[in-house]
């Protein structure tokens, strides 16, 4: 990218940068510096960091919880044993404490192991002022839902698939940019050909008109033929002006897409005739099912729909949660004694939540989730068939375009030879104006058809790459190449 920027800076002349591009270079620049490339890369990075967050959640986490200072002044209810009544008494308390905790999620069961250490300090004010330190040097525990929904299990299935989809969406979008860059490239190529033909046509019609004037003087051609030659010369100049406008528009479109300065003057070098390459429909379908992000997205949608079915099913049942821990603790008036003669601490709690009456809300949510799963699976099958049909048609078009390029190239050679001979015969008076005009039109049409054949070939090729994420020239998967380059 920096090399191109420097090149543009050095080539600025009369307020315009001049640049010559090949198709490969155009595609490289589109993938590097276009606005679409910037957007697609940031879309990928968002998915990448989402996956990194998921992976980090599978690792132990260390948390420090602190309450540096807490002052309370309030009335509290106390029992007076002498009077056998409850009374309200004023109480003042200062509290400070901290906890250091390590947590590790256990994906298989959906629970969480934790290891922590606590230290609390309290100072009471009033008729009798005293301090207390409470310590838990170490405590090991585990908590989880016994019958509830296990989110961790579903994350293990969905999150890696989501990242794989995001990665392949980036590759898909890069190939889509290749398609778009190819479209702009050949639109400019066609505009340049039209402009060059129009310039050549102006020169030819001027020459023919001058020749016609000389032949008219000796009565070799009629006045009507001379006027026809003059009309051709006038029309050729008008065509040149329109071709110049179309050329500027096509050049501006390509420059804008590549994020160049709008005044950049671009000349193109057409790609040579590509080598023959037979692509198997069955192989392309196999690669598409494996790599195309649409298939990955459909798999993700089905998994997420099944996740909702499982979640609503578990939530419709009663839920039981267990929390068990074992450790040591002590309470003392000074911090040193709070860590002596430690007492064993054991805590086990079991909580149960049983839905009794909810008027069918949970059951309704479960039925909705099941119906959504059926809709998602049916829609996925339809979309898979659409992508497969697109692959089959594109491969067929590609194989046909290879043969058309050879025919188009042969047609250009024949048309140029025929026009050259007809022009020479006209100059010596052995061909009429109609034959010359027809021969010129055929020559120009042959050149246009050759450009179109090249365009259709490369568009079909990059569309196949987009649908399969496979480089058929090298036989390398674009996904594997991406992993290798990025160290994944």
């Amino acid at each position: 990218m920096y090399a191109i920027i420097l090149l543009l800076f050095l080539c600025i002349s009369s307020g315009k940068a001049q640049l010559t591009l090949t198709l490969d270079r155009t595609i490289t620049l589109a993938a590097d510096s276009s606005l679409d490339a910037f957007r697609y890369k940031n879309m990928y990075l968002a998915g990448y960091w989402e996956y990194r967050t998921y992976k980090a959640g599978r690792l132990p986490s260390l948390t420090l919880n602190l309450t540096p200072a807490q002052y309370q002044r309030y009335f509290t209810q106390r029992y007076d044993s002498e009077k056998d009544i409850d009374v309200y008494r004023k109480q003042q308390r200062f509290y400070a404490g901290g906890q250091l905790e390590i947590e590790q999620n256990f994906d298989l069961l959906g629970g969480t192991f934790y290891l922590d250490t606590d230290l609390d300090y309290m100072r009471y004010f009033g008729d009798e002022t005293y301090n207390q330190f409470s310590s838990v040097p170490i405590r090991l525990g585990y908590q989880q839902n016994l019958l509830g929904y296990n989110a961790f299990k579903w994350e293990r299935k969905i999150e890696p698939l989501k990242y794989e989809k995001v990665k392949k969406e980036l590759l898909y979008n890069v190939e889509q940019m290749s398609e778009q860059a190819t479209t702009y490239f050949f639109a400019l190529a066609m505009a340049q050909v039209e402009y060059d033909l129009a310039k050549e046509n102006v020169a030819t019609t001027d020459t023919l008109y001058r020749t016609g004037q000389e032949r008219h003087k000796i009565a070799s051609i009629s006045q009507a033929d001379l006027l026809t030659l003059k009309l051709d010369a006038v029309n050729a100049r008008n065509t040149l002006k329109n071709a110049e406008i179309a050329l500027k528009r096509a050049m501006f479109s390509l420059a804008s897409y590549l994020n160049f300065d709008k005044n950049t003057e671009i000349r193109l070098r057409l790609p040579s005739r590509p080598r023959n390459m037979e692509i198997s429909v069955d192989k392309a379908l196999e690669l598409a099912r494996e790599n195309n992000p649409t298939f990955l997205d459909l798999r993700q949608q089905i998994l997420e729909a099944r996740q909702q079915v499982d979640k609503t099913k578990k939530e419709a049942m009663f839920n039981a949660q267990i929390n068990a821990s074992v450790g040591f603790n002590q309470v003392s008036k000074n911090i040193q004694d709070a860590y002596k003669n430690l007492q064993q601490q054991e805590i086990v709690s079991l909580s149960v939540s049983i839905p009794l009456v909810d008027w069918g809300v949970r059951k309704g949510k479960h039925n909705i989730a099941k119906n959504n799963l059926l809709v998602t699976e049916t829609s996925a099958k339809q979309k898979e068939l659409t992508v497969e049909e697109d692959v089959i048609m594109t491969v067929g078009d590609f194989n046909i375009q290879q043969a058309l390029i050879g025919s188009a190239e042969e047609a250009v050679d024949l048309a140029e030879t025929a026009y050259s001979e007809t022009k020479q015969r006209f100059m010596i008076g052995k061909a009429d104006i109609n034959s010359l005009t027809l021969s010129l039109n055929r020559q120009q049409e042959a050149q246009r058809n050759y450009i179109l054949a090249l365009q259709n070939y490369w568009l079909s090729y990059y569309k196949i790459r987009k649908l399969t994420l496979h480089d058929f020239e090298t036989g390398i998967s674009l996904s594997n190449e991406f992993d290798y380059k990025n160290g994944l």
Side-chain angles (χ1 to χ4, degrees), residues 362-379:
R362 291 178 175 86
K363 183 178 180 180
K365 289 182 179 179
H366 182 55
N367 288 332
I368 291 172
K370 290 196 296 183
N371 290 333
N372 286 339
L373 174 59
L374 292 175
V375 171
T376 301
E377 289 176 338
T378 303
S379 177

Side-chain angles (χ1 to χ4, degrees), residues 22 104 262 316 376 435 463:
T22 62
Q104 172 64 63
K262 64 181 180 180
T376 301
S435 299
K463 187 174 182 181

Side-chain angles (χ1 to χ4, degrees), residues 318-321 350-354:
F318 75 91
N319 184 27
Q321 186 180 64
L350 176 66
S351 59
V352 179
S353 174
I354 304 175

Side-chain angles (χ1 to χ4, degrees), residues 381-393:
K381 290 179 182 178
Q382 293 175 337
K383 291 180 180 178
E384 286 177 1
L385 290 175
T386 300
V387 175
E388 289 174 355
E389 181 182 354
D390 198 10
V391 171
I392 293 171
M393 297 302 296

Side-chain angles (χ1 to χ4, degrees), residues 385-445:
L385 290 175
T386 300
V387 175
E388 289 174 355
E389 181 182 354
D390 198 10
V391 171
I392 293 171
M393 297 302 296
T394 305
V395 171
D397 290 343
F398 174 78
N399 291 329
I400 292 173
Q401 291 303 326
Q402 292 189 91
L404 289 179
I405 288 180
S407 299
E409 196 173 43
E410 183 181 6
V412 168
D413 294 337
L414 292 173
E416 288 180 349
T417 302
Y419 173 68
S420 178
E421 291 181 358
T422 305
K423 182 179 176 181
Q424 292 298 324
R425 293 178 65 238
F426 177 82
M427 298 293 288
I428 61 177
K430 291 186 178 181
D432 58 23
I433 187 64
N434 291 330
S435 299
L436 179 65
T437 302
L438 181 61
S439 180
L440 176 62
N441 291 338
R442 285 175 175 170
Q443 181 218 24
Q444 294 178 347
E445 190 65 24

Side-chain angles (χ1 to χ4, degrees), residues 34-284:
S34 69
L35 295 178
D36 281 347
F38 178 78
R39 179 163 60 93
Y40 293 143
K41 288 174 185 176
N42 281 278
M43 288 168 58
Y44 163 74
L45 288 175
Y48 170 77
W49 285 112
E50 183 178 349
Y51 180 68
R52 283 287 299 271
T53 302
Y54 156 74
K55 294 290 286 184
R58 310 277 69 78
L59 300 175
S61 63
L62 179 63
T63 306
L64 178 62
N65 300 309
L66 293 175
T67 304
Q70 183 186 76
Y71 175 75
Q72 294 178 324
R73 182 177 181 180
Y74 58 96
F75 285 93
T76 184
Q77 184 178 353
R78 297 289 179 85
Y79 174 69
D80 190 331
S81 59
E82 294 180 358
K83 299 180 179 180
D84 193 25
I85 60 174
D86 289 329
V87 297
Y88 286 100
R89 293 181 179 177
K90 184 173 69 173
Q91 184 167 312
Q92 296 182 67
R93 188 185 72 163
F94 175 82
Y95 168 81
Q99 178 192 55
L100 187 63
E101 181 180 44
I102 299 176
E103 287 188 346
Q104 172 64 63
N105 295 325
F106 187 47
D107 293 355
L108 183 61
L109 298 178
T112 302
F113 286 102
Y114 59 89
L115 179 68
D116 62 16
T117 178
D118 297 348
L119 178 62
D120 299 319
Y121 166 73
M122 289 184 291
R123 180 176 179 83
Y124 291 91
F125 302 94
D127 296 336
E128 183 181 355
T129 300
Y130 63 95
N131 301 328
Q132 272 193 331
F133 289 89
S134 172
S135 72
V136 179
I138 187 170
R139 175 170 52 200
L140 175 64
Y142 179 75
Q143 60 182 0
Q144 81 157 74
N145 292 327
L146 294 179
L147 300 174
Y149 164 70
N150 185 354
F152 296 151
K153 181 185 73 173
W154 287 103
E155 285 181 358
R156 288 179 64 187
K157 295 180 179 180
I158 295 174
E159 292 301 325
L161 179 62
K162 284 174 63 177
Y163 173 64
E164 188 68 17
K165 184 194 72 172
V166 168
K167 180 180 69 176
K168 290 183 176 178
E169 279 179 341
L170 173 64
L171 298 173
Y172 182 92
N173 290 329
V174 168
E175 296 306 313
Q176 188 163 275
M177 283 190 293
S178 298
E179 271 191 278
Q180 189 62 56
T182 300
T183 300
Y184 283 122
F185 179 90
F186 280 102
L188 178 55
M190 182 64 76
Q192 286 185 347
V193 167
E194 293 286 1
Y195 179 74
D196 292 340
L197 289 175
K199 283 178 63 177
E200 181 183 350
N201 205 21
V202 168
T204 300
T205 54
D206 284 344
T207 301
L208 293 176
Y209 178 59
R210 288 194 299 270
T211 303
Q213 287 178 317
E214 296 299 325
R215 292 178 59 188
H216 182 263
K217 291 178 182 178
I218 60 175
S220 179
I221 62 171
S222 65
Q223 180 68 23
D225 286 343
L226 181 62
L227 292 176
T228 299
L229 291 173
K230 184 176 182 181
L231 178 61
D232 288 343
V234 172
N235 288 337
R237 288 189 176 86
N238 293 335
T239 301
L240 177 61
K241 291 178 182 178
N242 291 328
E244 185 177 5
I245 295 172
L247 177 62
K248 289 180 179 179
R249 287 179 177 174
M251 196 175 297
F252 177 79
S253 296
L254 179 58
S256 297
Y257 186 71
L258 298 179
N259 206 21
F260 287 170
D261 183 85
K262 64 181 180 180
N263 292 320
T264 303
E265 185 176 327
I266 302 173
R267 295 295 298 179
L268 302 180
R269 286 205 302 266
L270 290 178
S272 58
R273 179 180 176 180
R275 65 181 180 89
N276 290 331
M277 181 168 45
E278 190 69 25
I279 297 178
S280 167
V281 172
D282 292 337
K283 181 64 175 178

Side-chain angles (χ1 to χ4, degrees), residues 278-327:
E278 190 69 25
I279 297 178
S280 167
V281 172
D282 292 337
K283 181 64 175 178
L285 284 173
E286 179 186 345
L287 292 168
R289 295 188 189 102
E290 180 182 347
N291 297 322
N292 193 291
T294 300
F295 286 90
L296 297 177
D297 183 57
L298 295 176
R299 286 167 54 191
Q300 178 188 332
Q301 291 179 27
I302 291 174
L303 278 176
E304 289 174 343
R306 290 175 179 170
Q307 177 189 24
Q308 284 299 114
V309 171
D310 181 58
K311 182 179 180 181
T312 53
K313 178 182 178 181
K314 298 291 177 57
E315 289 176 348
M317 303 164 56
F318 75 91
N319 184 27
Q321 186 180 64
I322 186 172
N323 188 346
S325 66
V326 59

